[in-house]
């Protein structure tokens, strides 16, 4: 199975990495809209328009399905993308919520913290889906500074720790942190440590798990070639991919 | 005199503020390309294309000159803008360098630090102009995290202080810090304090001073109406303008 992966920039590479490392896919085609990143501060009409341009690209590409590796797009434009795509389109929202339900030792009495960009949190999409499943203690916190901090490769250290205090010091300690932005897996360990070992949910692992369950996949490929396309500065995206452990 | 002010987003409001507070101008028209901000990570062809769209807008607008309140555009696209504009176009680079030369108690033996986004620093434009004037001790440091920190309104405090240490701890203490990004005036005081009272150069004040010297202006208007146009989310730009002390 060949999979298309769409993100506004480089964040979705963490999802592509999970798919690549799984050995379940024959080929990956990553498309990053780096010329117009970030989407998180744009309004929903604009995000939808950009997402439909990506659909048009993937409609002409040799892939079997399309993974939206961007939380902003998944909560904003998924239905429109599904309507105009000529192949199945999967967003990260549903897999993330499913991963929460399947976490060992976690039931609906657990305290769940959702962190994401401002637009994803303001949409309320994660919070609503999680509460609808019966979880009663759900906090949500926009943590926009994590994106540039990750892009500066400061995966731990004093700036990140001070930023944790800034965003988290008034929250009760969560049992689970749902990482609602594809940049955040790179600081998942630091977040978990800050909260004394809270579990974290990673969009890439959640998506892989969801695809395995829904598409009956198994690990069968020794390697999965990854092709990267970007609307701007594709070399920078490739460098980030290499630094983040993807194989080009 | 009616002045057009162009920036990729909200940063240029600090320049508009200097112009508005001066009382030298009858009217200001601010145009922020918020749908495509930030420019700092885009390549020069893309930045030039966007800048020429702004020129097209201002060619049809009732203003007497155009101020480019964005360092990235000023170092990348100023000549092209001047070529296609039907009115004078002024960038922030030359005024910033002039302000350095006119600083009291500072001569070419002073240690100068230029801070800006990665693209402005990588262009080398400030460093070259300053060294060409005979300054021998010129450091340059890209400080991209300052932009989102300012946008989170963290003008001082532990995150900013840790970020100062991250960028500055290995530098020799400068006598002057040239703020090569229009977001940075909001943290100018904190930067000066960190460096034990180093002087700072602010693009807005530098531009005002440059315009006064070149256009023979004087303070004559009790108030200067400011009109704001943005390619996306104009209400957010207006809110930022109000928070930053501009009068709408």
């Amino acid at each position: 199975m060949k999979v298309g992966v769409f993100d506004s920039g480089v964040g979705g590479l963490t999802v592509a990495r999970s798919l690549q490392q799984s050995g379940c896919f024959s080929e990956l085609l990553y498309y990053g809209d780096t010329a117009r990143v970030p989407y998180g501060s744009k309004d929903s009409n604009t995000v939808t328009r950009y997402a439909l341009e990506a659909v048009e690209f993937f409609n002409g590409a040799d892939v079997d399905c399309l993974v939206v590796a961007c939380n902003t797009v998944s909560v904003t434009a998924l239905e429109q993308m599904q309507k105009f795509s000529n192949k199945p389109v999967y967003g990260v929202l549903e897999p993330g919520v499913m991963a929460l339900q399947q976490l060992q030792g976690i039931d609906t009495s657990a305290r769940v913290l959702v962190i994401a960009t401002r637009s994803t949190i303001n949409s309320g999409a994660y919070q609503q889906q999680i509460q609808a499943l019966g979880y009663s203690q759900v906090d949500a916190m926009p943590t926009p500074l994590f994106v540039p901090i990750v892009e500066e490769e400061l995966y731990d250290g004093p700036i990140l720790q001070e930023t944790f205090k800034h965003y988290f010091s008034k929250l009760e300690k969560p049992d689970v942190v749902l990482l609602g932005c594809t940049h955040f897996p790179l600081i998942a360990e630091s977040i978990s440590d800050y909260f004394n070992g809270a579990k974290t949910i990673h969009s890439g692992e959640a998506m892989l798990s969801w695809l395995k369950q829904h598409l009956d996949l198994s690990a069968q490929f020794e390697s999965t070639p990854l092709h990267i396309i970007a609307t701007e500065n594709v070399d920078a995206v490739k460098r980030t991919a290499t630094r983040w452990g993807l194989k080009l």
Side-chain angles (χ1 to χ4, degrees), chain A:
Chain A
M1 168 172 263
K2 296 178 183 178
V3 182
V5 180
F6 168 53
D7 181 40
S8 57
V10 296
L13 289 169
T14 62
V15 176
R17 183 174 59 185
S18 296
L19 303 187
Q20 188 176 48
Q21 291 175 346
S22 72
C24 295
F25 307 97
S26 59
E27 212 168 322
L28 298 175
L29 174 58
Y30 187 90
Y31 171 104
D33 190 8
T34 43
R36 300 186 292 199
V37 74
Y39 284 4
S41 50
K42 296 181 172 58
D43 72 31
S44 57
N45 289 335
T46 305
V47 170
T48 303
R49 202 170 74 238
Y50 294 170
L52 292 182
E53 288 178 26
V55 165
E56 213 173 299
F57 167 79
F58 280 109
N59 278 345
D62 179 25
V63 295
D64 303 304
C65 69
L66 175 53
V67 162
V68 181
C70 172
N71 285 270
T72 300
V73 176
S74 295
V75 304
T76 308
L78 188 63
E79 271 183 41
Q80 287 291 308
M81 293 182 77
Q82 288 168 332
K83 192 170 156 191
F84 289 99
S85 174
N86 60 13
K87 51 203 71 162
V89 183
Y90 309 114
V92 285
L93 180 62
E94 201 181 327
V97 174
M98 186 197 78
L100 172 64
Q101 286 187 285
Q102 295 180 349
L103 268 185
Q104 299 266 326
I106 294 290
D107 62 25
T108 54
S109 70
R111 179 169 285 275
V112 181
L113 171 64
V114 181
I115 59 174
T117 61
R118 194 157 274 131
S119 72
T120 300
I121 295 298
N122 286 351
S123 77
Y126 273 110
Q127 300 96 299
Q128 282 156 24
Q129 290 220 12
I130 294 169
Q131 282 164 338
L133 292 169
Y135 293 82
S136 53
Q137 305 186 87
V138 182
D139 290 319
M141 175 63 74
T143 55
L145 278 178
F146 290 168
V147 174
I149 288 174
V150 165
E151 294 195 344
E152 283 277 272
E153 303 187 10
L154 301 170
Y155 307 139
D156 203 355
I159 294 177
L160 190 64
Q161 291 299 325
E162 288 299 339
T163 309
F164 286 164
K165 282 188 218 161
H166 173 66
Y167 288 130
F168 297 151
S169 63
K170 287 182 186 153
L171 295 176
E172 273 193 60
K173 183 195 163 302
D175 302 298
V176 186
V177 184
L178 198 157
L179 308 175
C181 170
T182 52
H183 276 78
F184 298 176
L186 291 146
I187 53 170
E189 212 177 307
S190 302
I191 292 171
S192 175
D193 288 347
Y194 179 85
F195 287 125
N196 305 320
K199 294 175 194 288
T200 55
I201 292 174
H202 175 316
S203 296
E205 289 163 11
M207 175 59 81
L208 174 63
S209 175
W210 193 92
L211 290 173
K212 277 184 177 170
Q213 287 178 50
H214 286 75
L215 303 179
D216 197 26
L217 300 166
S218 64
Q220 53 178 308
F221 299 98
E222 277 201 21
S223 68
T224 301
L226 167 67
H227 310 285
I228 293 183
I229 290 185
T231 50
E232 164 113 8
N233 212 341
V234 69
D235 290 335
V237 180
K238 288 180 178 174
R239 279 196 299 275
T240 301
T242 304
R243 279 202 309 272
W244 289 4
L246 289 98
K247 298 223 159 40
L248 298 188

